[in-house]
Amino acid sequence: MSENVEEISTESEELLDLKAEKLVQIMVDRGLHSIAPKIEQSGISYLSISELLPGEKDIQIKSLLDKMTRSGILNAKLIDKVVMCPSCRGASILAKYNCPRCESIDIGRASIIEHIRCGYLDSKDKFEKGGALICPKCKGVVRESDYRKIGSSFQCNSCGSRFESPKIKHRCMNCQEEFTYKDALYESAFEYSLSEATKKNVAKGTLPLISIVNALKDSGYDVSQKAQLQGRSGTMHTFDVVARKEKRVIVASFSFEPKEEEIIGLFAKKYDVDPSHTLLVTLTPPSKEEEAVSKAYGVKILCSTGTQSLAEQIYKILNE
Ligand SMILES: [Zn+2]
Ligand SMILES: [Zn+2]
Ligand SMILES: [Zn+2]
């Protein structure tokens, strides 16, 4: 099992971009473990994500979600299928029934009856005359017991043809485009949820650390994970992330919560190694006390708050 998780997390590493990272972080932060589709006249949208990632278009959000699903970060469960306009992607679609022969919309249901005595078959309305039923062939009066119901079908009032099923056309209420099932978009509406692998990676810090590593690499740092640095005392200290660029050294460690003993433990290593920045990456935001302790010891706590992703916080520190 743990091997599988590792495999998925390396694949995710390649595919994760800032938005995906931000989305997962925000979802975790807010305890939002699944995102449901909203089917509206304008199409399928993921409203909660539009709120989480403002400025993103529905179609960009969809491709982000698809990408995250392919890379195993999210699971997708099919909720519904929606007919959409091939021209404007709207989902406010009317269905029109047409005559398959002349395409007229002037068609209706007809019940077919047979005049038993003469064997004449036609739609019932052809028999109707002045409130009675008269056979168009033999001109005899047809009473209830004189005919047999054969079935019902559609009938075209323009060309007179009868058919079992009409030709169905769609019309978009948004852009007035007419199309058939051949050209219609038939889109899937999925509910997305964090995959088990993602939940595990988040809990053990893999995912947050990937964000940190990528952001540091993007800024030109040489990054190693689970790396050791020798302190002035000669002791070797292990950090989850060690990043170097010229004379600057940044160290980071992960902890589920920014507990005081974690901060002080990291401070002890920092004191010996003397890096440019010492970061404690956590999933839970620090309390006021923890914030004060971290300030006093010069350990910077990085926690995704929902408004700023870990990567953004790294860039901010590097630009200070
Ligand atoms: Zn349209
Ligand atoms: Zn007849
Ligand atoms: Zn017709």
Side-chain angles (χ1 to χ4, degrees):
M1 187 63 208
S2 71
E3 262 177 42
N4 274 338
V5 172
E6 289 309 324
E7 227 173 76
I8 288 164
S9 70
T10 22
E11 196 182 280
S12 309
E13 189 173 3
E14 291 159 18
L15 291 165
L16 258 180
D17 59 11
L18 284 179
K19 280 186 262 173
E21 178 240 317
K22 189 170 174 179
L23 185 56
V24 172
Q25 298 292 345
I26 296 173
M27 286 176 74
V28 171
D29 272 359
R30 302 201 178 176
L32 189 69
H33 285 183
S34 67
I35 294 164
K38 192 153 191 245
I39 299 159
E40 302 171 294
Q41 297 202 340
S42 55
I44 303 168
S45 64
Y46 293 89
L47 218 59
S48 46
I49 302 190
S50 313
E51 284 162 14
L52 300 179
L53 300 174
E56 296 293 324
K57 293 200 182 81
D58 282 350
I59 194 147
Q60 291 170 318
I61 287 174
K62 179 78 179 100
S63 69
L64 174 65
L65 291 169
D66 287 345
K67 184 176 160 184
M68 290 170 74
T69 304
R70 281 198 306 275
S71 60
I73 298 169
L74 298 177
N75 288 336
K77 181 178 152 202
L78 185 66
I79 296 291
D80 206 352
K81 297 284 281 192
V82 183
V83 176
M84 283 165 47
C85 171
S87 167
C88 75
R89 300 184 65 84
S92 182
I93 306 295
L94 280 185
K96 294 279 182 188
Y97 293 173
N98 297 71
C99 169
R101 203 165 118 206
C102 75
E103 306 237 326
S104 169
I105 52 162
D106 189 11
I107 65 169
R109 274 201 188 83
S111 69
I112 309 301
I113 58 171
E114 180 187 12
H115 188 204
I116 298 167
R117 201 177 68 200
C118 76
Y120 183 71
L121 272 177
D122 211 334
S123 60
K124 201 175 173 185
D125 63 306
K126 293 282 167 60
F127 285 74
E128 280 163 1
K129 224 161 228 163
L133 294 177
I134 308 290
C135 175
K137 191 189 170 197
C138 71
K139 312 293 178 200
V141 176
V142 182
R143 280 177 294 266
E144 191 90 23
S145 56
D146 296 336
Y147 69 84
R148 205 170 21 224
K149 283 183 189 162
I150 300 298
S152 67
S153 68
F154 283 89
Q155 175 171 288
C156 176
N157 297 322
S158 291
C159 72
S161 59
R162 270 203 293 265
F163 39 93
E164 229 172 80
S165 44
K167 180 173 178 182
I168 298 170
K169 280 192 187 172
H170 298 303
R171 190 198 290 150
C172 173
M173 295 289 279
N174 185 33
C175 73
Q176 309 305 320
E177 174 90 357
E178 283 209 357
F179 53 95
T180 68
Y181 69 92
K182 285 181 189 161
D183 297 311
L185 300 178
Y186 195 46
E187 299 270 305
S188 303
F190 292 108
E191 181 180 72
Y192 295 94
S193 54
L194 293 180
S195 69
E196 283 310 306
T198 304
K199 287 183 195 162
K200 278 181 188 156
N201 280 343
V202 169
K204 65 182 187 179
T206 313
L207 218 55
L209 285 173
I210 287 170
S211 310
I212 303 286
V213 168
N214 287 345
L216 286 165
K217 281 183 181 167
D218 276 354
S219 307
Y221 278 78
D222 194 16
V223 185
S224 358
Q225 285 186 261
K226 287 272 169 230
Q228 290 196 318
L229 283 182
Q230 190 169 24
R232 286 173 296 195
S233 68
T235 312
M236 297 301 284
H237 300 286
T238 306
F239 298 93
D240 287 334
V241 174
V242 172
R244 282 194 184 84
K245 186 180 176 184
E246 288 146 22
K247 281 185 179 162
R248 295 185 81 176
V249 178
I250 295 177
V251 297
S253 283
F254 174 80
S255 161
F256 198 80
E257 290 173 304
K259 287 190 188 135
E260 199 174 320
E261 60 260 37
E262 298 283 349
I263 298 168
I264 294 171
L266 192 53
F267 165 74
K269 297 182 188 178
K270 164 199 146 90
Y271 183 78
D272 200 21
V273 171
D274 197 27
S276 329
H277 290 287
T278 307
L279 314 174
L280 182 62
V281 182
T282 70
L283 285 183
T284 322
S287 65
K288 277 213 169 79
E289 293 74 28
E290 288 160 349
E291 185 81 60
V293 172
S294 76
K295 275 215 173 88
Y297 286 100
V299 172
K300 179 101 184 152
I301 296 176
L302 294 194
C303 175
S304 184
T305 56
T307 52
Q308 231 184 10
S309 72
L310 290 173
E312 285 169 325
Q313 293 175 48
I314 283 277
Y315 292 136
K316 204 175 150 205
I317 291 170
L318 297 180
N319 289 327
E320 268 165 9

